[in-house]
Amino acid sequence: MVSTATKIGTFDFDNCLMNAAGVYCMTREELADIDASAAGSFVTKTGTLNARAGNPEPRYVDTSLGSINSMGLPNHGFQYYLDFVTELQNTPNSKNHFLSLVGMSEEETHTILKAVQDSDYQGLVELNLSCPNVPGKPQIAYDFETTEKLLKDIFAYFTKPLGVKLPPYFDIAHFDRAAAVFNQFPLAFVNCINSIGNGLVIEDETVVIKPKHGFGGIGGDYIKPTALANVHAFYQRLNPTIPIIGTGGVKTGRDAFEHILCGASMVQLGTVLHQEGPAVFERITNELKAIMTEKGYESLDDFRGKLQYLD
Ligand code: RRO
């Protein structure tokens, strides 16, 4: 029997496919729809200390090759998502879930994580170090010193399973530097990649989204090669105890297969989930299983990280 089951640390998942944070995860109703689908898990919209309305609309647009967004972190506040994942965790046969979080300042991030530490939630936490769309706030993970200090401060009190959502890096020196930072900490996972920040899409003579004069995070087909490179670069560099979640440009079983070949233990769907809805999980799972069957692979372990080189 071909299986797409996977593990992140001690957490088991029947399927390696799930949503990417930001897509189909703003409300309990959307999250419940993902939970009821063929997805192996869900991650919540990144929750901040207080609820946020986000940036003015239009703030998300699909294009023929993907998407651009500048949502600006709209969310119901972290407690809304913490309550929901805690409620589900206490339901018999519940899937395991990911709670995505970040503060609007370091202090807020600590306030949120201390509340999670003191809560009954026992699941996975994803710290979003890579939101590209809040005016005046650079992506945290592009500043290695700030990132190192933040993680050091967090792991001084936080003992629950915590991973990080990373922006794409584009230089080998940055892969080396970033991995040297992340290898110092007992991370539950790293997730590569968030959208490619601050792209620009134009129709006729005008930008297509309103915030930041049209600048926004790019997803979909445009970003698959960058996502694969980041997954594989971290697979080559991180301690083998840190699993990798692959996100970016997945719209077919073949794309998911490539992420796993590069080293991903779990694969997230963003733009394609926005375009097709939760039924996409069944389609892509079936496509991935068909490829595995054709190649004689029974589990992800049979090919994870086994990308072949030309020398
Ligand atoms: O809400 C957003 O604008 C957003 C976030 Br927090 C993120 O991490 N990535 C993204 O593309 N958009």
Side-chain angles (χ1 to χ4, degrees):
M1 262 298 272
V2 171
S3 166
T4 58
T6 192
K7 269 176 179 287
I8 296 290
T10 57
F11 294 85
D12 287 307
F13 302 90
D14 287 347
N15 189 4
C16 63
L17 300 180
M18 61 180 289
N19 69 305
V23 183
Y24 226 94
C25 59
M26 184 78 83
T27 62
R28 295 166 72 106
E29 290 73 26
E30 286 182 340
L31 290 163
D33 281 355
I34 304 284
D35 217 36
S37 79
S41 182
F42 68 62
V43 57
T44 65
K45 174 65 184 171
T46 301
T48 50
L49 185 59
N50 301 119
R52 290 171 52 85
N55 292 338
E57 295 179 344
R59 59 190 187 180
Y60 177 103
V61 167
D62 284 312
T63 73
S64 56
L65 292 174
S67 63
I68 183 167
N69 87 84
S70 183
M71 303 297 289
L73 251 173
N75 75 91
H76 292 288
F78 85 96
Q79 192 68 50
Y80 173 95
Y81 303 103
L82 176 59
D83 288 347
F84 189 51
V85 289
T86 306
E87 195 178 302
L88 288 182
Q89 148 192 293
N90 298 327
T91 310
N93 303 318
S94 171
K95 295 175 183 176
N96 291 308
H97 301 112
F98 295 73
L99 176 65
S100 174
L101 302 168
V102 78
M104 299 307 293
S105 64
E106 274 189 40
E107 195 192 346
E108 265 195 32
T109 296
H110 292 309
T111 303
I112 295 167
L113 286 174
K114 283 178 182 165
V116 175
Q117 174 69 28
D118 292 341
S119 75
D120 291 334
Y121 180 59
Q122 302 298 337
L124 291 146
V125 175
E126 176 171 286
L127 180 64
N128 187 352
L129 298 179
S130 48
C131 176
N133 298 329
V134 180
K137 299 245 181 238
Q139 292 169 75
I140 298 166
Y142 282 148
D143 180 337
F144 295 118
E145 278 163 24
T146 300
T147 299
E148 186 170 343
K149 167 147 193 329
L150 180 63
L151 291 175
K152 210 169 170 187
D153 292 347
I154 289 170
F155 281 110
Y157 62 85
F158 198 80
T159 57
K160 293 182 173 179
L162 177 96
V164 287
K165 178 75 173 279
L166 300 181
Y169 297 102
F170 301 95
D171 195 285
I172 300 298
H174 293 167
F175 292 138
D176 291 343
R177 179 86 167 85
V181 170
F182 299 128
N183 275 332
Q184 295 173 46
F185 302 101
L187 288 168
F189 62 89
V190 302
N191 185 344
C192 309
I193 60 173
N194 209 317
S195 55
I196 295 186
N198 296 298
L200 199 50
V201 173
I202 298 169
E203 251 170 38
D204 190 15
E205 299 185 11
T206 309
V207 301
V208 298
I209 55 172
K210 184 166 177 182
K212 292 174 66 180
H213 288 175
F215 285 69
I218 304 296
D221 294 1
Y222 306 105
I223 76 165
K224 190 178 80 169
T226 300
L228 293 175
N230 276 260
V231 168
H232 198 56
F234 283 106
Y235 185 76
Q236 291 168 314
R237 288 167 177 75
L238 289 181
N239 299 332
T241 51
I242 306 180
I244 297 167
I245 300 176
T247 307
V250 176
K251 67 177 187 190
T252 65
R254 171 71 203 182
D255 300 325
F257 180 81
E258 290 177 11
H259 268 268
I260 298 160
L261 206 57
C262 286
S265 291
M266 199 136 197
V267 177
Q268 298 188 334
L269 309 184
T271 299
V272 74
L273 171 61
H274 186 270
Q275 293 173 346
E276 293 184 32
V280 74
F281 290 108
E282 192 171 354
R283 173 177 71 75
I284 297 183
T285 304
N286 289 337
E287 291 171 5
L288 175 58
K289 282 184 173 171
I291 293 168
M292 290 171 64
T293 302
E294 190 188 313
K295 290 178 173 284
Y297 297 144
E298 289 184 351
S299 73
L300 304 196
D301 286 343
D302 293 344
F303 64 102
R304 183 189 303 106
K306 296 187 177 160
L307 179 66
Q308 294 176 27
Y309 307 133
L310 297 178
D311 57 11

